[in-house]
Amino acid sequence: MANWKRLEQLNGGDRISYSDPWLDTKNEVWFFAESYQLRVWSDGVLHKHDEKADALTAPISGRFTLYKQRESLFVDVELRGDQAVIRRGVLNGHFLSTLVAPSEVEPLLARYRALGFRDGFPWNATKTLATRREYVKADIARWSVEVHGNVLKQEVHENTPAESREAAIALAEKRIRAKEKTGFKLYRIELVTSEHPNPEPIPAKGAPERKPLPKRALVAKPKNAYEAVDAAIAMLKDLHERIPTAHFVTECLDPKKDRARVASVESSAAFFLRMHKARVGRWAKAKPRKPKKNESSWDYFANEYGSITWILDGAADEGLQMFYCGNVTGGGWSCLEIDSDSDYSLDDQVEVTGNEELEELFVFHGGWHQDRSWAFDRRVSSPAGEHAVIPFSDTLEKLPRPMKPERIVPFGLWLYKRVAALTKVAEKNLRELS
């Protein structure tokens, strides 16, 4: 919990909003005043919004933008004549503007690079994330502008292709200039998924070097459904260990050593750990073995591993179908939750639909409240004791036609394919944040 008395002191003794600071280091703190206006305390100086920065009308001759993507923070600079407007703020949220001399810009950018902000372009943070700038006029009119590759996008839906990305940016700046002349002011900066590829930002000279992340461990292609279970678990363990930020696999956690890691992803760490107490560290002694006689790949998973509870930071979920574990805020933001001890009850669904066939389902995967769940159809089984995996939601009324036993895909192969696809997307997201 934040030190509220310290924050009030940094705010010149004025009251604050009792919420955790967005950035909190020895020499740099971003927090909200009682009025929910952003304050930045930097090297002993308290910065508040300067209305003179809003009134500056000189043409923009240059821009610089740094992003701290996981924390949803940005530093945005506009060079305007003999002054520079510095905006520090929260993506899709509040920011404050101040004025400095152009000679002060580079030292200021260097300061924020040292604090973990990364160089981006003013119109994109990464190859896949474009920057949206939203403007307002006297709270009665709004206008937004983005650049996706060589396409200028206005008002979200109006696309204007240009000869090049540079031409699209020049057109965006021209439109901004025209809007500012009619009274529009910048209101919000946010990141959106780009519809066209953007150039990858290059770190500035002298910026702190990023440590290269280890390469993915080689996992042998499984020869059967049992090896497929082991391979899926190995991929998740590998990603958990190689990239120890912005995500975790609950079953891989050390309940004593990894509490800070949980807190860095889940704001209610204590609640999360209590809720999933039986799953925390569950794989510590689990390892591949020979399947027992008449043991299906699901039984093998249940007996050896028991569950999968993969939790990701909201900044790392691009391209993944996410849901709250257990349909509970604080239960974990997940794209993969499998529970061999699932106690999901279908009684209400059977009663509402009058379809008693629903009783033949075993819901083993979370996300049922978001149409992102999976269940076993136990009406038919294969010779190896496998059941068909079908999509499930709590609004399902009718089951699909029973699958022929010989066409049933074993759980282990389904799991391997799914984990391979999810980890590929998640690793790309996590590398951008690490």
Side-chain angles (χ1 to χ4, degrees):
M1 182 178 290
N3 185 329
W4 309 126
K5 184 174 290 186
R6 169 178 171 252
L7 292 180
E8 285 188 348
Q9 291 174 345
L10 297 183
N11 198 34
D14 293 335
R15 294 177 65 86
I16 58 164
S17 169
Y18 292 98
S19 56
D20 288 333
W22 284 90
L23 181 63
D24 192 358
T25 71
K26 181 180 179 181
N27 297 313
E28 185 88 15
V29 186
W30 295 19
F31 60 97
F32 284 119
E34 186 181 34
S35 59
Y36 289 100
Q37 292 180 320
L38 185 64
R39 298 283 185 264
V40 171
W41 181 87
S42 183
D43 255 351
V45 178
L46 178 65
H47 297 280
K48 301 179 181 180
H49 185 76
D50 185 352
E51 293 185 0
K52 292 180 181 179
D54 292 337
L56 197 61
T57 58
I60 297 172
S61 59
R63 292 184 187 273
F64 303 92
T65 311
L66 305 181
Y67 305 88
K68 201 171 177 64
Q69 191 180 325
R70 187 182 175 193
E71 291 82 356
S72 296
L73 303 179
F74 70 89
V75 176
D76 188 64
V77 179
E78 292 176 350
L79 298 179
R80 291 178 177 260
D82 60 356
Q83 290 184 293
V85 178
I86 309 295
R87 295 189 177 94
R88 288 168 275 206
V90 179
L91 289 165
N92 201 24
H94 296 275
F95 63 80
L96 64 83
S97 303
T98 54
L99 293 174
V100 300
S103 60
E104 297 179 51
V105 168
E106 189 49 48
L108 185 141
L109 294 178
R111 171 183 180 81
Y112 286 107
R113 291 181 188 118
L115 287 171
F117 286 76
R118 292 187 188 161
D119 286 271
F121 290 112
W123 293 101
N124 68 286
T126 67
K127 287 168 52 175
T128 58
L129 291 175
T131 304
R132 174 184 293 162
R133 297 175 185 273
E134 186 175 342
Y135 293 76
V136 297
K137 179 180 180 180
D139 293 329
I140 59 173
R142 292 177 182 263
W143 174 74
S144 64
V145 59
E146 309 156 34
V147 177
H148 298 234
N150 68 328
V151 177
L152 172 69
K153 181 182 284 289
Q154 300 176 83
E155 291 296 275
V156 180
H157 52 75
E158 183 183 335
N159 295 331
T160 305
E163 293 182 357
S164 64
R165 178 171 174 79
E166 291 70 24
I169 291 173
L171 184 56
E173 296 290 2
K174 183 179 179 180
R175 298 284 170 83
I176 289 173
R177 180 68 176 156
K179 288 290 185 181
E180 287 182 335
K181 287 182 177 180
T182 64
F184 279 83
K185 304 292 183 183
L186 186 65
Y187 174 72
R188 180 183 289 122
I189 293 177
E190 60 181 305
L191 296 180
V192 296
T193 301
S194 185
E195 297 173 9
H196 303 281
N198 303 307
E200 183 70 47
I202 301 173
K205 185 177 181 180
E209 291 188 10
R210 294 172 61 181
K211 294 181 180 179
L213 293 171
K215 293 182 178 180
R216 183 182 304 182
L218 293 176
V219 177
K221 188 174 181 179
K223 299 175 183 177
N224 55 52
Y226 306 99
E227 289 186 6
V229 170
D230 296 328
I233 298 299
M235 286 189 284
L236 289 167
K237 281 185 174 181
D238 170 61
L239 190 58
H240 173 92
E241 293 168 3
R242 274 191 304 117
I243 306 182
T245 58
H247 84 117
F248 58 82
V249 178
T250 306
E251 288 75 6
C252 292
L253 294 173
D254 182 309
K256 294 182 179 180
K257 297 180 181 179
D258 292 332
R259 192 177 186 89
R261 180 170 179 177
V262 175
S264 72
V265 177
E266 282 294 315
S267 58
S268 301
F271 175 83
F272 177 88
L273 292 171
R274 285 197 307 271
M275 178 177 175
H276 299 298
K277 184 177 180 180
R279 303 184 193 181
V280 176
R282 193 173 194 171
W283 296 350
K285 296 181 180 180
K287 59 183 179 180
R289 60 168 173 77
K290 290 183 178 181
K292 300 174 182 177
K293 186 177 180 180
N294 298 324
E295 189 177 40
S296 68
S297 62
W298 167 253
D299 292 334
Y300 175 78
F301 167 83
N303 293 333
E304 192 62 31
Y305 300 105
S307 60
I308 299 174
T309 318
W310 187 17
I311 308 301
L312 289 96
D313 188 287
D317 65 4
E318 183 68 29
L320 299 169
Q321 291 190 325
M322 307 295 294
F323 55 88
Y324 284 114
C325 292
N327 196 20
V328 176
T329 302
W333 190 233
S334 177
C335 62
L336 185 68
E337 182 197 18
I338 297 177
D339 182 13
S340 63
D341 297 321
S342 172
D343 59 356
Y344 183 92
S345 174
L346 287 151
D347 293 347
D348 290 343
Q349 221 156 324
V350 170
E351 183 177 347
V352 169
T353 63
N355 185 357
E356 295 185 356
E357 276 196 325
L358 293 174
E359 294 179 345
E360 297 298 325
L361 296 182
F362 176 76
V363 181
F364 66 86
H365 191 292
W368 36 266
H369 50 294
Q370 294 287 350
D371 295 341
R372 294 171 182 176
S373 182
W374 300 88
F376 287 120
D377 182 354
R378 297 184 292 189
R379 291 174 298 172
V380 180
S381 63
S382 72
E386 304 281 355
H387 298 290
V389 176
I390 65 170
F392 176 80
S393 76
D394 55 8
T395 59
L396 183 67
E397 297 181 0
K398 185 178 179 181
L399 297 184
R401 181 181 299 175
M403 188 170 291
K404 294 180 180 180
E406 64 272 18
R407 296 190 63 185
I408 290 176
V409 175
F411 166 78
L413 298 181
W414 175 89
L415 178 65
Y416 174 77
K417 183 177 180 180
R418 187 159 184 81
V419 169
L422 293 175
T423 52
K424 182 179 180 180
V425 175
E427 179 161 348
K428 177 179 69 68
N429 296 341
L430 293 168
R431 283 184 174 277
E432 289 185 349
L433 296 174
S434 300

